[in-house]
């Protein structure tokens, strides 16, 4: 039930964005409100868990960079892209994030699992993307909106790489770190408001949609996912990521009456198969690769990659600590 609820909340984010856009809200206003409400929810959760916001200026500097690539840019790009692309397709293209993460890891030399099956999954996943876009057909999805949605997934992948390098395990307060990151995102997007369009006259449905997006699709999903990882393990949490595009496609069709061609559905299936293969681990691969799969699974998990790798759990209001051990290899590099 918890996995189903989490998949529904995450997968419905694209539906809420579409409703808010159709109701008169601009992509920038959707992004600002989403970040602000998500930050408010996480601040309440952090306070209830007695976690304090970071005080280090260096940590805040890293949080600002992470907020831009993890929240500001992808949230805005998804809103702009959905002005011309269906919400279901947006969910499908979001599912490519793990593929971009692995590609970036291979390019930077930080990806250790160069198993042939994983590389096959990478190629298969991008073949699925090509099938979705179908540039060889006049009815294909090759447009600025679709490309912006794909750029949002790339932005998530860039953010994961940055956060893994600079924010993992800092201060031992995952809720507070995530709240701080969304606070930084709120500040960045608020600064951009004078350059954006006026508020206009949004409908009540648009306002309710963006409130649901901020509270449920941005704030509460982090808490549910972190508890799922703590109670059931990262594999269960990663499984939710495979359900997100299915949920977004189903909601788009049922609620908004969006039509999906057989080609797009087939492309989605190929993408998910490719993502599944990239998550394959050989026997003996360090177990910390599994949490990374959960981090890359969905749109909201990008806010919390630092949290998932700290091995902290929130159980009955009690923070369970962890032991961090650093060793050096033969070249003297920390690991």
């Amino acid at each position: 039930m918890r996995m189903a609820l989490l998949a529904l909340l995450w997968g419905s984010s694209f539906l809420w964005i579409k409703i808010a856009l159709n109701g008169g809200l601009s992509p920038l206003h959707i992004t600002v409100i989403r970040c602000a409400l998500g930050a408010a929810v996480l601040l309440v959760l952090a306070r209830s868990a007695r976690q304090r916001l970071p005080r280090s200026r260096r940590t805040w500097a890293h949080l600002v960079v992470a907020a831009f690539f993890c929240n500001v840019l992808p949230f805005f790009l998804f809103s702009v892209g959905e002005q011309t692309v269906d919400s279901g397709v947006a969910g499908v293209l979001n599912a490519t994030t793990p593929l971009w993460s692995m590609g970036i890891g291979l390019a930077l030399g930080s990806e250790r699992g160069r198993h042939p099956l994983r590389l096959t999954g990478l190629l298969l996943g991008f073949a699925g993307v090509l099938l979705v876009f179908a540039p060889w057909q006049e009815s294909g999805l090759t447009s600025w909106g679709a490309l912006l949605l794909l750029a949002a997934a790339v932005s998530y992948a860039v953010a994961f790489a940055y956060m893994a390098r600079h924010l993992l395990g800092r201060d031992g307060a995952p809720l507070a770190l995530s709240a701080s990151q969304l606070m930084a995102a709120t500040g960045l997007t608020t600064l951009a408001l004078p350059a954006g369009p006026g508020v206009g006259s949004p409908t009540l449905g648009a306002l309710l949609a963006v409130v649901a997006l901020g509270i449920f699709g941005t704030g509460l999903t982090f808490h549910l996912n972190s508890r799922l990882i703590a109670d059931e393990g990262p594999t269960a949490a990663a499984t939710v990521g495979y359900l997100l595009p299915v949920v977004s496609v189903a909601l788009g069709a049922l609620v908004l009456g969006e039509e999906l061609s057989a080609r797009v559905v087939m492309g989605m299936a190929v993408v998910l198969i490719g993502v599944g293969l990239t998550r394959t681990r050989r026997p003996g691969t360090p177990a910390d690769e599994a949490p990374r799969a959960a981090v890359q699974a969905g749109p909201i998990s990008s806010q919390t990659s630092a949290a998932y790798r700290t091995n902290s759990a929130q159980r009955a209001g009690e923070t369970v600590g962890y032991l961090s051990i650093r060793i050096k290899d033969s070249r003297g590099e920390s690991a």
Side-chain angles (χ1 to χ4, degrees), residues 26-282:
S26 71
L28 182 57
H29 289 110
I30 293 174
T31 304
V32 173
I33 298 172
R34 178 180 186 178
C35 291
L37 292 177
V41 170
L42 290 175
L43 281 172
V44 171
L45 294 175
R47 183 173 181 81
S48 65
R50 298 182 180 180
Q51 296 183 9
R52 295 184 177 181
L53 300 181
R55 299 181 180 181
S56 168
R57 292 184 178 179
R58 185 175 182 180
T59 299
W60 274 102
H62 290 314
L63 284 171
V64 170
V65 177
F68 178 78
F69 287 104
C70 254
N71 308 112
V72 176
L73 186 58
F75 287 0
F76 180 72
L77 290 179
F78 271 115
S79 296
V80 174
E82 283 197 46
Q83 288 180 318
T84 56
V85 179
D86 289 343
S87 63
V89 175
V92 173
L93 295 179
N94 175 80
T96 64
T97 298
L99 303 176
W100 295 110
S101 293
M102 183 178 177
I104 291 174
L106 290 173
L108 297 178
S110 59
E111 178 63 46
R112 293 172 292 178
R114 300 191 181 188
H115 192 276
L117 196 59
R118 299 188 69 190
L119 296 177
T120 301
L122 185 65
L123 295 176
L124 189 62
F126 285 124
V129 173
L130 191 63
L131 186 59
V132 170
F133 274 79
W136 58 85
Q137 294 184 359
E138 292 184 1
S139 59
L141 287 174
T142 305
S143 65
W144 281 110
L147 292 176
L148 290 178
L149 294 174
L150 206 58
V154 176
S155 181
Y156 280 141
V158 171
F160 294 150
Y162 183 86
M163 295 170 73
R165 188 178 185 88
H166 299 288
L167 285 174
L168 290 187
R170 281 186 177 270
D171 298 335
L175 281 169
L177 274 176
S178 297
S180 301
Q181 183 173 314
L182 274 181
M183 288 172 60
T186 303
L188 291 175
T189 51
T190 301
L191 291 175
L193 279 177
V199 177
S201 300
T203 64
L204 177 60
L207 295 176
L208 292 177
V210 77
V211 168
L213 177 65
I215 294 178
F216 299 105
T218 307
L220 289 181
T221 48
F222 160 73
H223 182 59
L224 288 175
N225 197 43
S226 61
R227 289 300 300 266
L228 184 65
I229 292 174
D231 297 342
E232 306 293 341
T235 301
T239 302
V240 177
Y242 301 111
L243 301 177
L244 300 186
V246 179
V247 171
S248 69
V249 168
L251 289 177
L254 294 174
V255 180
L256 300 176
E258 296 176 349
E259 294 184 5
L260 284 177
S261 65
R263 188 196 73 250
V264 173
V265 174
M266 186 180 300
M268 176 183 69
V270 174
V271 167
L272 293 180
I273 292 172
V275 170
L277 291 178
T278 62
R279 300 270 60 84
T280 301
R281 292 193 298 125
R282 290 176 297 178

